[in-house]
Amino acid sequence: MIPTDTEDELTRLRRRIEELETSEARYRGIFESIPISLWEEDWSAVKQHIDRLVASGVTDLDAHLQSNRGDLVTCMRLVKILDVNKATLDLCGASSKEQVLAGLSGTFDEATLGTFRREIVALHGGATFYEEETTATTLDRAPRAVMFRIAIGAGAGRTWGQCIVSLVDITDRKRAEEALAQSKEETIRAQKTMLAKLSTPVIPISPEVIVMPLIGALDQARMDQATGTLLDELQRSGARIAILDITGVPGMDAEATHGILQAARAVRLLGAQVVLTGIRPEVARSLLDFGSDLPDLVTRSTLQAGIAYAIRDRSPSR
């Protein structure tokens, strides 16, 4: 006959085992059903390898692993995958756990190796977890953007014997962000084009005369834009005279003056003529530096004078 105390102890033991089994079943249920890729891994062999490197004289572990790829690959191969959940199979494109448990090499690429190196350095430095955005590769070599996180299990800080890795697939989010960024860039480009056109408007005065008032500083890019707009409008309208008014231009340096004269030459190639208005003394001095071009350039001091010249019956013919 078993003593009462022994029976009580056996009862408590059985109850404790049942509680542990229930807890294990609950944990496994959560582990398997959670919609996030989870990996249970044993990194003890990795820690031992790192400890040997440090003992051999390695003082800068990050620099060493960057310049000694062989040691980094060795660490990767020493990771023992204990278990993965269903979400991991879906993420990796695997049909069974055995395909994933065979090792990490099938899901690593260059970006992932960099993440792997940084997490080793972080854990060696005393961190109990590490996370960053990186990429994972499915078994059919399709890249996926993921948020990676590794945490050392409770009580495994000295050995790294239990590490829990989670991978959150953020591929769709990253694609949406990239599409949004591209859309913003296209919008900005369109706005810049619109602003450029607004900054160089073309105003028809008559069927044969158009005016382009230029306001603000002139550089090569702006003059190229203005010239293109001017030529397009001349081609469209069939105008014979284009008045470029620089009253609102604060100063004319050599680049701006050259741009104006280039625009005049381009207009002449279309059989039309440029009338330059808003001439001030400093502008006149700048134009003198390009004296060889002056005989073909009509200038007037004001826009009103330029318009009066253009609409007279003396407008040049094509």
Side-chain angles (χ1 to χ4, degrees):
M1 184 174 178
I2 301 176
T4 302
D5 291 346
T6 303
E7 286 184 346
D8 291 344
E9 184 64 30
L10 289 173
T11 300
R12 285 193 294 270
L13 181 58
R14 282 194 296 270
R15 194 171 296 152
R16 180 57 178 160
I17 292 173
E18 290 173 357
E19 290 173 354
L20 290 174
E21 289 176 344
T22 301
S23 178
E24 175 70 10
R26 185 183 299 113
Y27 162 75
R28 286 298 161 190
I30 295 173
F31 182 82
E32 287 295 340
S33 63
I34 195 168
I36 296 174
S37 172
L38 294 178
W39 307 56
E40 185 180 0
E41 299 175 352
D42 180 352
W43 280 46
S44 56
V46 178
K47 187 176 190 309
Q48 292 167 11
H49 184 72
I50 295 300
D51 289 343
R52 284 193 294 270
L53 289 177
V54 173
S56 69
V58 173
T59 56
D60 189 334
L61 181 60
D62 189 37
H64 176 84
L65 293 177
Q66 287 190 63
S67 58
N68 293 270
R69 184 186 177 91
D71 277 326
L72 186 60
V73 174
T74 296
C75 288
M76 178 189 69
R77 291 173 177 168
L78 289 174
V79 173
K80 184 178 181 181
I81 304 174
L82 304 177
D83 199 4
V84 296
N85 66 349
K86 184 179 181 304
T88 300
L89 304 186
D90 296 338
L91 177 64
C92 295
S95 58
S96 67
K97 287 188 178 184
E98 286 69 28
Q99 287 182 284
V100 181
L101 296 177
L104 293 176
S105 58
T107 59
F108 269 46
D109 57 19
E110 286 302 316
T112 317
L113 274 173
T115 299
F116 184 64
R117 185 192 79 249
R118 289 186 287 274
E119 66 187 273
I120 289 176
V121 173
L123 297 183
H124 175 70
T128 57
F129 73 92
Y130 178 81
E131 66 179 2
E132 72 170 59
E133 287 188 10
T134 185
T135 60
T137 306
T138 64
L139 294 181
D140 59 1
R141 310 310 298 170
R144 305 294 294 178
V146 297
M147 174 58 76
F148 168 92
R149 179 184 174 96
I150 184 172
I152 298 177
R158 294 174 60 86
T159 64
W160 300 2
Q162 184 190 45
C163 294
I164 302 298
V165 172
S166 66
L167 300 177
V168 179
D169 190 347
I170 58 173
T171 305
D172 291 341
R173 190 196 82 190
K174 296 295 286 185
R175 287 173 179 168
E177 290 175 351
E178 290 169 2
L180 179 60
Q182 182 177 355
S183 176
K184 286 182 177 178
E185 289 177 2
E186 291 173 353
T187 300
I188 290 171
R189 284 196 295 269
Q191 289 174 340
K192 285 183 177 179
T193 300
M194 183 179 295
L195 288 172
K197 290 181 178 179
L198 290 174
S199 68
T200 53
V202 177
I203 304 169
I205 299 298
S206 73
E208 295 187 340
V209 181
I210 59 175
V211 176
M212 174 179 280
L214 297 173
I215 300 172
L218 299 179
D219 56 20
Q220 187 62 50
R222 188 168 179 218
M223 280 308 307
D224 289 344
Q225 170 68 35
T227 301
T229 301
L230 188 62
L231 295 179
D232 288 344
E233 182 60 23
L234 285 170
Q235 184 69 30
R236 187 197 66 79
S237 67
R240 292 191 299 162
I241 297 181
I243 300 174
L244 287 181
D245 180 57
I246 59 172
T247 304
V249 177
M252 291 282 290
D253 58 13
E255 183 179 25
T257 303
H258 179 72
I260 290 290
L261 295 175
Q262 286 290 93
R265 295 188 189 101
V267 168
R268 284 200 298 272
L269 290 176
L270 290 183
Q273 182 184 24
V274 164
V275 176
L276 185 64
T277 64
I279 303 298
R280 303 182 299 279
E282 64 271 19
V283 175
R285 284 193 294 270
S286 182
L287 288 172
L288 284 176
D289 293 335
F290 296 84
S292 59
D293 297 282
L294 291 178
D296 295 322
L297 185 64
V298 176
T299 62
R300 291 293 184 272
S301 59
T302 66
L303 176 59
Q304 292 86 343
I307 293 174
Y309 167 85
I311 63 177
R312 285 188 312 175
D313 229 1
R314 299 175 48 234
S315 297
S317 60
R318 291 186 183 276

